[in-house]
Amino acid sequence: HVGLSGKVDPFLEGTNALQHLGFNFLEIGPVCFKLDESSCQSPIIKDDKIFYPLNGEKTSFQRVVKMLTKYTIQLPIFIRIDEAEATPEVLHYMITSLSPYVEGFFLTENQLHKIQPIESIKYYKVISSSTLDIPTTNPSFIQGFVIDAPVKIEHGMYSEKVNATELLVEKIKQLKLVETHTYIITSGGIDSPE
């Protein structure tokens, strides 16, 4: 299956239309509980590469609720909650408020340790392909993993590493050795055709 990353439409301006382009699911996020969207910087395209600001383009919880209640989205939606959202109370509120509209949530290890899982909700653990470690102890309630493409940081911006696809494939192989029956979603690592 192929899904559409939240980076493509961070402010949810085209989500209703994007669902008709043949994707199998949509990611929304990172979602912040409180966010001044005017402080978010846009990506820059330079030398055929996309450079994202470190604080990234994010969307607010209020905007997501408004969009999900306004439109009928036919595709499964996954919400990536911003890693800065780490208090148990805020995580619980966001998850329980959004869960009627979505298929599941992409959470970091830190966030997963702070929630009281709800049986009917699907959780996916976000890991980076930049790290060498393969997670060997994972919460039993997760349905799978989201592996983000490795990035390099320069001048306050980040971009995918040149060999991002190869590193993602290697991380998938390593993870499959430990987690043989799990879902793996990759984010990024798309090479431009020559």
Side-chain angles (χ1 to χ4, degrees):
H1 292 117
V2 176
L4 188 64
S5 169
K7 292 179 183 178
V8 174
D9 185 27
F11 300 120
L12 310 176
E13 294 163 342
T15 302
N16 192 40
L18 291 171
Q19 70 174 322
H20 302 290
L21 296 180
F23 293 100
N24 298 98
F25 66 89
L26 299 174
E27 175 192 12
I28 295 175
V31 178
C32 297
F33 187 67
K34 291 185 179 180
L35 175 69
D36 175 10
E37 290 180 351
S38 65
S39 67
C40 294
Q41 299 173 305
S42 296
I44 297 169
I45 299 174
K46 180 180 174 184
D47 300 327
D48 293 330
K49 291 191 84 169
I50 302 174
F51 292 87
Y52 296 94
L54 288 177
N55 69 341
E57 288 187 299
K58 302 173 184 181
T59 192
S60 69
F61 173 76
Q62 293 77 14
R63 182 184 289 260
V64 173
V65 169
K66 183 178 177 182
M67 189 275 301
L68 291 174
T69 56
K70 182 177 180 180
Y71 298 110
T72 302
I73 306 296
Q74 303 297 321
L75 296 177
I77 296 173
F78 293 91
I79 300 286
R80 182 184 293 246
I81 297 181
D82 187 65
E83 59 188 282
E85 302 295 349
T87 68
E89 298 80 18
V90 169
L91 287 168
H92 178 77
Y93 182 77
M94 291 175 73
I95 289 168
T96 56
S97 298
L98 296 172
S99 64
Y101 307 100
V102 303
E103 183 74 20
F105 294 89
F106 297 166
L107 302 173
T108 64
E109 183 170 4
N110 182 38
Q111 291 169 325
L112 287 166
H113 288 298
K114 292 186 177 183
I115 64 169
Q116 291 294 324
I118 299 168
E119 190 175 316
S120 61
I121 297 175
K122 296 177 182 173
Y123 303 94
Y124 296 81
K125 182 177 181 179
V126 177
I127 59 176
S128 170
S129 56
S130 296
T131 62
L132 298 175
D133 301 341
I134 295 293
T136 54
T137 56
N138 297 297
S140 60
F141 59 86
I142 64 171
Q143 269 66 46
F145 297 87
V146 177
I147 306 174
D148 287 334
V151 298
K152 63 179 181 176
I153 299 171
E154 51 186 279
H155 309 297
M157 306 286 278
Y158 73 90
S159 64
E160 287 188 3
K161 290 185 176 179
V162 175
N163 60 342
T165 304
E166 292 84 13
L167 293 169
L168 276 170
V169 169
E170 186 58 35
K171 192 67 158 198
I172 292 167
K173 289 178 183 176
Q174 293 171 353
L175 187 57
K176 283 300 229 179
L177 292 174
V178 177
E179 298 283 346
T180 56
H181 297 90
T182 191
Y183 293 103
I184 298 175
I185 299 169
T186 62
S187 180
I190 305 297
D191 291 329
S192 298
E194 298 287 326

